[in-house]
Each structure stands twice: as C-alpha cells, then as structure tokens.
Amino acid sequence: MKDFFKGQFDYIYFFYGFSFFLLAIICFTLDKNKLRRFPWVLLGFFGLTHSIAEWLDMLMIIYGKKNALSILGIIALCASYLCLLEFARVGYFRLRKKRISPWIYLIFPVLLSLGHKYGLNGWIVTSRYFLGFTSGYLASRIIYEFAIAEKESRYPLKYLSIIFSLYAVATGLIVPKTGFLLSKFLNFDSFYETFGTPIQLIRAILALAVALAIWFYSSVPSEIKYKPPRFLKHYVPTKWTIGLTLIILIIGGWMFTNYLDYYARRQMIVKNINPQRSPVDGLTRELTKLQKVVISVSRVQSIRNAVSLEKPESKVLEETNKILSRYQTKFNALDFALLDKDGVTVASAGSNKTEIEKGKNYASKPYFKKAIAGETGYDFRHGATYNERIYYISYPVKDIEDKISGAIVITKNIQTEPLFSYRLFSILITFFVCLIVIIFFMVLKRREAFIGFIEKTNARLEEVDKLKTDFISIVSHELRTPLTSIKNAASIMMKGGASRRAIDEQEKEMIRIILNNVDRQTKMVNDLLDVSKIEAGAISVAAKIIDIASLAKNVLNSLRPIADSKKISIIFLSATDKEMAYSDPDHTARIFNNLIDNAIKFTPNGGKITVKIENARAYIKILVSDTGIGISKEDKEKIFTKFCIATSAENQIRKGCGLGLVITKGLVETLGGKIWLESEPGKGSAFYFTLPAAKI
C-alpha cells in the first residue's frame, strides 16, 4: 500500500484542493438568512485560498519543486489560515457580542519567523503550528457554540465541529520533518510509516466531510428541528446524492488517471523512454545499457587517439565526430561528447538542445571528476540551458599505455513529460466534470427552493381567493335582503302607499328609477353569487334530455322585442326542428340569454344576429354571431375573465360589471362543453359553444 501511494500524490493533492474548492462554493452560495447569522463567506475564502495552496503542491509534485511555486504555496497557505482565524474572530463577536482586537494578528509574523533558519519547510511548519492548528481549533469551537445557540438545524453543525477539530490536528500538528523538536517525531514520514497512508489523503477526506456537512446544513429548512436518529433517518437520505455522486466521480477520475498513467508508460516503454516519475528511481536498466555503450565507445581507437595525441589530425577528429553523431542519433541523446584530461570538450555531437558545448571546460562537473578518477560517473540535474530533467553518464578513456587521458560523456533527458501531461490532463477532466455536477446540483437546489416558494405562494393565493369568494358570497347574501325590502317598499309606493292615495307622474318616474336600479343591483348580486358558486364548484346541475332548438327559440322570442326596438333582424338556423342535448335546461337557457343579450347590446341599429345549431353526433355545436362592434385581439384573450369589459364596448354600454361571459363560460364547462370566440373589430363577433348530445 505504501508503494502504491507513492505514485498517487499528484491526485491526492488534487482531491485535497478540490474538497476545499467545493467548501468555498457551498459557503458562497448559502442562503441569505444563514449568511446573516454567521460569517460563512470567510470560511468560503479559507476554502478557496487553501485549495490554491494544495493545487500548487500538486504542480510541484508533477513538475518538481521550484522556489517560486513554494513561496506562492506558503503565501496561499498562510492567507487561508488567516481567513479561518478571521472566521472564528467574527463568529465570536456575533455570538457573544464581544470584540477581539485585530491587533492579535501582529503576533503571528513573529511566531512564523521562528522557522526561517530551516528554510521553506521551516516556514511551512511554523505556519501550520501557529496558524493552522490555532485557527482550526478556534473555528471548531465557534461552530460548536453556534450550533448550541442556533437550536435549529444544530446537528449538521455539531458534526461539522467534530470534523473541524480532527482537521485542526491533521493540518496543524503533522508537518514536514525539520529541526523543530515536535516535527522530528510527528511528521509526514512518521505518519506514513506508522499508518501506511499519507496525511494528505486524511486531510482531503476530512475536507470533503467538512464541505458535505455544510451542504447538509445549508439544505436544512429553518423550521426543521430533527434530533438523531430522526435527522439521519428522515432528512439526510434526501441529501446524500451530491456527496455520493462526487465520491464516485473522484474515484472514477482516479481510476481514469491511473489508466492513462499505465497507457503512457506502455507507450514510453515502446519508444524506449523511461516511464518512472523520479529522476533516479527505475533508471537502473537504462543506465546499465548506456554504461555498456560508453564503455564500448571509450575503446574505439579513433576516440582514444583524439585525446591521447597532443595535436590530433583533422581526419581523426572528423572520424570521432562521426562516431559520436551516430551514437547520439541512435540513442536519442542530447549530447555525446569527448573531453580531454583537462575537462575541455574535444569533440561532440548534439541535438538542438546542446548541454555540452565544444571547446568549453567541464572539469568541475561531478561526472567528469568521477571519470578521471577511473569510475563510471552519474549525475542528475535540471539542464542549465533548457531547464529539463537530464542525466549524465561518463566513463574514462585510456590511451595506449592504459592511462586515463579523457572522458566520454552521454547527456540525455529524463522524458517524464508525456506521463505527467497524461495525468494532468485526466485530473483537469475530472475537475471540470465535478464542477459541472456541482453546478447542476446548485441549480437543482435553487429550482427546488423556487418550486417550494411557488407552491407556498400558490397555496397562499388559493387561500386568499377562497377568502375573497367567501366574502363575496356573504356580502351578496347580505345585500339581497335590503334590496328585496327596497323593492317591496317602492312597489307599495307605486300603488299609493298605505293610504292608497294617487301619486303624480313625477313621483312615479322617481319610483321607476328606484325599481330599475334595484333590479340592476339585484342582477349584479345574483351574478356575483353565481360566479362564487362556479369557482367553488358548488353550482347544482339537473341534467336531462332537452330539445335545445325549442329552448333557443323561446329565448329568442323573449328577447325579440328588444331587438325589434333597434331594428335588428334575428336569424335562426337548425338542420332539424328538434336537436336533442343532454343538459340542464335552466343553465342552458341562461347561456343563450347571456350570449344573445350581449349580441343585441353591441350590435348597432339595423344589424343582424344569427343563431345556428348543428348536430356533430357526440355533441351539439351552437353559434351566436352578430354584426356588431367586434372585439380586439388583446381583449379576446381576457374576455372570459372577471370584471372584463372589452375596450370597444366601454363607450357603448356601462350597464354590466363584466361577469356575464364568466358565468356563461363556467356554465358551459360545468355542463361538459367548451366555449370559444372569433371576432374582429368592426366586423362583429361569433361565440361558439358545445353541449353533450343526447344518446337516444
């Protein structure tokens, strides 16, 4: 297991950083009420900066340690711990209403400076000891106290406090090995040797647990006060999806990364490229092969002559260069060079990335010193020219007297780039897939919240609508009694009152005005009552087989005197004398009455009204059309709504309150039919409605 983890540190650091990146996203998207109660945004900045620090460590695992990346990593690490400390400081104020002076931050630079004599690792150790552990512990304590104070959804916060305390120990006390007394015994290496697992993986798991605990907390409605195990049983199962999905994606990304790792290794072996991650580990086979090559080359006579003679002939040097060039091409080396006993390059064959230049002195190089001492020299380093990982193999060249007169040197780069680019590519793919999933769940969460808001709003609107309907019904009932009393009193006055005296024409006209207005108000009250019944579904229906043609004629005859007064012609059309429908006769008569009465009202003098009845087998289709003022497109969309009077009709008549068509539509639909309208301004209107046909 230890050997397995050695090759997985790049992905472990990615997982570590991603867990904190997830924490940042969750904290930044907490709902406003929970944001006001506690400074979760500061915890989000802690997660964001800490993820940057860990991803910088990942890059150093991949591309090697570089001072610039190390310094940036330490800065990001300290910034993250300061954000966590500020989270605890502000949280303390909001809970206890006591301020902690920000001057306490001046203590930490002094404490951090204690590690300067141990280099960059010393700074890392002091930042983790004094900032990491302190801020982690204080944050854990504040979260626990906040959980007790909040009472609502307290249990996710208690779990979060426990996880944070474990993280404080893992991040603040287990550090790189340095000269500090505690770090000599409790460090990355000792933890790894004892438990067989890198502390970075433990931290990553704890960081993911922190993020998911806050996710659960952010998803708990404020009214829920579950207690374990009820909370775990009734609520948590509905929110495990994102955690399980992310865990599956992380594991899948790890498997995909290792598959590409394996694929890259296979390709590199085929191409005779060393597939190991370390510049030293796993090079034995290739170094052994190249050692045989340098030994073989060192024994070539022209090579020996080139360094044995004080002034070798040009032919000797030319032949030497050809031999070196042939070997350089065959083994894909950066350089194949021959150095004399003083370390000066006598001949060389190099690629466009030359590390050993002709005529320069390399006597101070370790590989030359080894070769002059009679040993095979090895050296591994970053190339000075192209900043690549390269290695040198040298071997002594002897003259005729078997004395060392120079050295043959092979320079070759360690081609780890293809392998690491494959792994980095897989890590980036995993990151973007996880990010898409997080965005999806965030949108889903917002959608659920929006749907919940809409449902609550609809429920409230339905309640308000019911209260309004009940109010209208009560008021309408209460109005009918005084209206009836007024009408009865006016009728008695029309007959002379209790004394039966004769009344003059002026008094009669005033009483007629009273009676007309009482009738109008009574109709409006009755319409309001009917609308309330229709909306409540409380209207009674006594359906039976009726002759709808005869019923329509009766309604027409009752309204014909009004039409004749405006010289409006009425046309009745029916295929047969009898058209049988299954409907309530009273409601059907009212439908006809409302539609024909409207047609008469809005048709100018001399116009025409048509009533047509058609039998379509399953239903009876009725048309009531006129040549009146028509209805605009905008008004057609709202003509069947309450209190709506078409714009074109406002200047024609103001006797109604816009309930007639609402009642008509409600009655038609209650009887099992449909109603619709076709109209154009100035060209009249055509109302169609259907009723179920009678099965005879």
Side-chain angles (χ1 to χ4, degrees):
M1 184 61 73
K2 292 181 182 178
D3 293 335
F4 169 76
F5 280 125
K6 284 181 180 178
Q8 306 298 322
F9 272 90
D10 54 351
Y11 198 84
I12 289 172
Y13 274 105
F14 159 70
F15 174 36
Y16 191 3
F18 178 78
S19 299
F20 277 105
F21 182 74
L22 177 63
L23 170 66
I25 292 177
I26 292 171
C27 288
F28 289 147
T29 55
L30 277 172
D31 67 75
K32 293 181 179 179
N33 290 329
K34 292 178 178 178
L35 277 174
R36 281 195 294 267
R37 291 199 292 265
F38 214 58
W40 295 109
V41 171
L42 289 171
L43 194 61
F45 281 114
F46 160 69
L48 184 61
T49 50
H50 209 78
S51 66
I52 293 171
E54 301 311 325
W55 283 338
L56 287 171
D57 284 343
M58 178 190 72
L59 292 178
M60 285 189 282
I61 290 292
I62 294 175
Y63 295 111
K65 284 199 172 184
K66 300 181 186 295
N67 286 338
L69 288 179
S70 297
I71 293 170
L72 286 175
I74 293 172
I75 292 172
L77 187 69
C78 292
S80 68
Y81 289 144
L82 289 174
C83 289
L84 187 60
L85 192 61
E86 184 67 6
F87 166 80
R89 192 181 74 87
V90 175
Y92 180 83
F93 169 72
R94 292 192 183 180
L95 283 172
R96 300 189 179 182
K97 304 302 180 185
K98 294 180 180 178
R99 291 188 180 275
I100 300 176
S101 174
W103 290 103
I104 62 168
Y105 289 123
L106 295 178
I107 301 172
F108 291 103
V110 178
L111 296 175
L112 294 180
S113 65
L114 297 176
H116 76 282
K117 66 179 180 179
Y118 300 111
L120 293 176
N121 275 350
W123 287 97
I124 293 173
V125 169
T126 52
S127 64
R128 288 189 179 276
Y129 278 164
F130 301 118
L131 272 178
F133 179 75
T134 303
S135 60
Y137 170 75
L138 291 176
S140 170
R141 182 66 185 173
I142 292 299
I143 291 171
Y144 182 79
E145 292 186 12
F146 179 51
I148 295 174
E150 188 179 50
K151 296 182 181 180
E152 300 169 348
S153 60
R154 64 169 63 175
Y155 292 100
L157 292 179
K158 284 189 175 181
Y159 302 143
L160 175 62
S161 174
I162 295 170
I163 298 168
F164 234 115
S165 62
L166 294 174
Y167 179 76
V169 173
T171 194
L173 298 183
I174 304 174
V175 297
K177 188 176 182 179
T178 58
F180 285 96
L181 182 62
L182 182 59
S183 70
K184 290 180 179 179
F185 304 99
L186 187 60
N187 52 61
F188 293 170
D189 296 335
S190 63
F191 186 89
Y192 193 27
E193 290 297 324
T194 304
F195 298 100
T197 303
I199 187 61
Q200 291 83 357
L201 180 60
I202 303 301
R203 291 176 186 166
I205 293 171
L206 290 172
L208 182 62
V210 167
L212 294 180
I214 296 179
W215 168 263
F216 288 137
Y217 164 74
S218 69
S219 304
V220 176
S222 59
E223 65 270 13
I224 291 181
K225 299 180 182 179
Y226 280 135
K227 295 182 179 180
R230 290 182 61 202
F231 173 80
L232 296 173
K233 181 179 179 182
H234 296 287
Y235 185 70
V236 172
T238 64
K239 298 297 176 186
W240 57 263
T241 312
I242 184 171
L244 182 60
T245 303
L246 288 175
I247 290 170
I248 291 173
L249 287 175
I250 292 292
I251 295 173
W254 166 74
M255 295 175 67
F256 182 57
T257 301
N258 281 285
Y259 168 75
L260 289 184
D261 187 338
Y262 171 77
Y263 172 78
R265 289 168 181 272
R266 296 291 300 174
Q267 293 298 312
M268 295 169 80
I269 290 172
V270 169
K271 295 178 181 179
N272 196 29
I273 300 172
N274 170 53
Q276 300 299 322
R277 285 181 180 76
S278 169
V280 179
D281 294 341
L283 287 174
T284 304
R285 185 171 59 183
E286 185 167 333
L287 293 178
T288 302
K289 180 179 68 175
L290 291 177
Q291 183 183 20
K292 293 178 181 179
V293 173
V294 293
I295 293 172
S296 175
V297 174
S298 70
R299 292 173 180 172
V300 176
Q301 189 60 45
S302 59
I303 299 292
R304 299 175 71 179
N305 291 338
V307 292
S308 298
L309 302 174
E310 290 185 8
K311 291 183 178 181
E313 297 179 0
S314 58
K315 289 183 178 180
V316 174
L317 293 176
E318 185 179 347
E319 185 179 352
T320 301
N321 283 323
K322 286 181 179 179
I323 293 170
L324 295 179
S325 179
R326 186 165 64 250
Y327 277 101
Q328 182 267 328
T329 303
K330 181 177 180 180
F331 293 99
N332 193 29
L334 292 178
D335 293 295
F336 233 100
L338 178 63
L339 280 61
D340 63 18
K341 62 181 178 180
D342 296 322
V344 178
T345 307
V346 175
S348 69
S351 66
N352 59 345
K353 296 183 177 181
T354 301
E355 288 290 336
I356 300 179
E357 298 180 15
K358 190 173 180 179
K360 286 194 174 183
N361 192 306
Y362 295 92
S364 63
K365 300 299 182 182
Y367 54 82
F368 177 76
K369 291 179 180 179
K370 285 279 188 182
I372 289 299
E375 302 176 12
T376 304
Y378 300 100
D379 192 17
F380 302 90
R381 63 181 60 200
H382 281 283
T385 307
Y386 289 93
N387 197 31
E388 292 181 334
R389 293 179 177 187
I390 62 176
Y391 62 91
Y392 302 83
I393 302 178
S394 62
Y395 193 79
V397 178
K398 298 180 181 179
D399 58 16
I400 300 172
E401 297 177 359
D402 204 30
K403 294 180 180 179
I404 297 173
S405 57
I408 189 77
V409 181
I410 298 176
T411 308
K412 194 171 181 183
N413 62 336
I414 303 174
Q415 298 188 33
T416 56
E417 287 78 5
L419 174 62
F420 286 119
S421 63
Y422 272 114
R423 290 183 68 84
L424 186 58
F425 171 76
S426 175
I427 288 171
L428 289 174
I429 291 294
T430 304
F431 171 74
F432 284 114
V433 171
C434 290
L435 187 61
I436 290 170
V437 170
I438 292 170
I439 293 172
F440 170 78
F441 275 102
M442 291 296 177
V443 171
L444 187 64
K445 180 185 172 185
R446 296 290 182 185
R447 178 178 174 274
E448 289 176 354
F450 180 72
I451 290 174
F453 171 76
I454 293 297
E455 288 176 350
K456 288 181 181 179
T457 303
N458 285 340
R460 179 59 182 163
L461 289 175
E462 289 176 1
E463 182 181 352
V464 171
D465 191 62
K466 185 177 182 301
L467 290 172
K468 177 209 66 177
T469 302
D470 293 343
F471 173 77
I472 291 174
S473 179
I474 292 169
V475 170
S476 300
H477 276 292
E478 293 299 321
L479 285 174
R480 293 177 74 175
T481 301
L483 286 173
T484 302
S485 300
I486 292 170
K487 185 174 183 178
N488 290 337
S491 298
I492 293 172
M493 290 172 63
M494 180 68 80
K495 296 176 181 178
S499 60
R500 299 291 181 179
R501 71 176 182 82
I503 57 177
D504 57 30
E505 286 301 320
Q506 186 177 3
E507 290 175 330
K508 286 183 179 181
E509 182 61 25
M510 294 176 67
I511 294 172
R512 277 194 290 270
I513 292 171
I514 292 172
L515 290 172
N516 288 337
N517 279 285
V518 168
D519 289 339
R520 183 185 173 200
Q521 294 302 315
T522 301
K523 183 180 182 304
M524 290 177 63
V525 169
N526 290 335
D527 286 347
L528 285 171
L529 281 172
D530 289 339
V531 169
S532 298
K533 290 179 181 178
I534 289 170
E535 289 179 342
I539 192 166
S540 59
V541 176
K544 60 182 179 179
I545 298 174
I546 60 173
D547 180 3
I548 200 166
S550 298
L551 188 147
K553 290 177 183 177
N554 291 336
V555 174
L556 283 171
N557 290 333
S558 66
L559 295 173
R560 195 175 293 277
I562 303 174
D564 291 342
S565 66
K566 297 180 66 176
K567 298 181 180 180
I568 296 173
S569 60
I570 297 178
I571 301 173
F572 179 79
L573 301 173
S574 179
T576 60
D577 292 337
K578 289 186 177 182
E579 294 292 350
M580 310 307 291
Y582 186 76
S583 182
D584 185 300
D586 294 333
H587 295 332
T588 306
R590 189 168 184 184
I591 293 168
F592 274 109
N593 187 83
N594 286 348
L595 292 177
I596 297 170
D597 184 55
N598 276 353
I600 294 172
K601 286 179 183 177
F602 301 115
T603 300
N605 294 344
K608 181 175 68 173
I609 294 173
T610 302
V611 178
K612 184 178 180 181
I613 299 175
E614 297 179 10
N615 192 324
R617 295 185 180 182
Y619 56 87
I620 305 296
K621 180 179 177 182
I622 302 100
L623 164 67
V624 177
S625 64
D626 59 60
T627 58
I629 58 178
I631 301 172
S632 66
K633 182 180 180 180
E634 292 76 14
D635 289 333
K636 281 166 63 177
E637 297 175 357
K638 58 183 180 179
I639 197 68
F640 291 107
T641 58
K642 287 181 288 187
F643 311 114
C644 174
I645 298 175
T647 306
S648 56
E650 288 182 352
N651 296 327
Q652 298 284 333
I653 187 167
R654 293 293 301 178
K655 294 182 180 180
C657 59
L659 295 175
L661 289 177
V662 178
I663 294 170
T664 301
K665 183 175 184 291
L667 291 175
V668 169
E669 291 177 350
T670 301
L671 295 172
K674 296 180 181 179
I675 185 169
W676 66 95
L677 164 67
E678 293 179 2
S679 180
E680 289 185 26
K683 295 184 179 181
S685 303
F687 285 87
Y688 295 86
F689 70 96
T690 62
L691 292 173
K695 298 179 180 179
I696 302 175

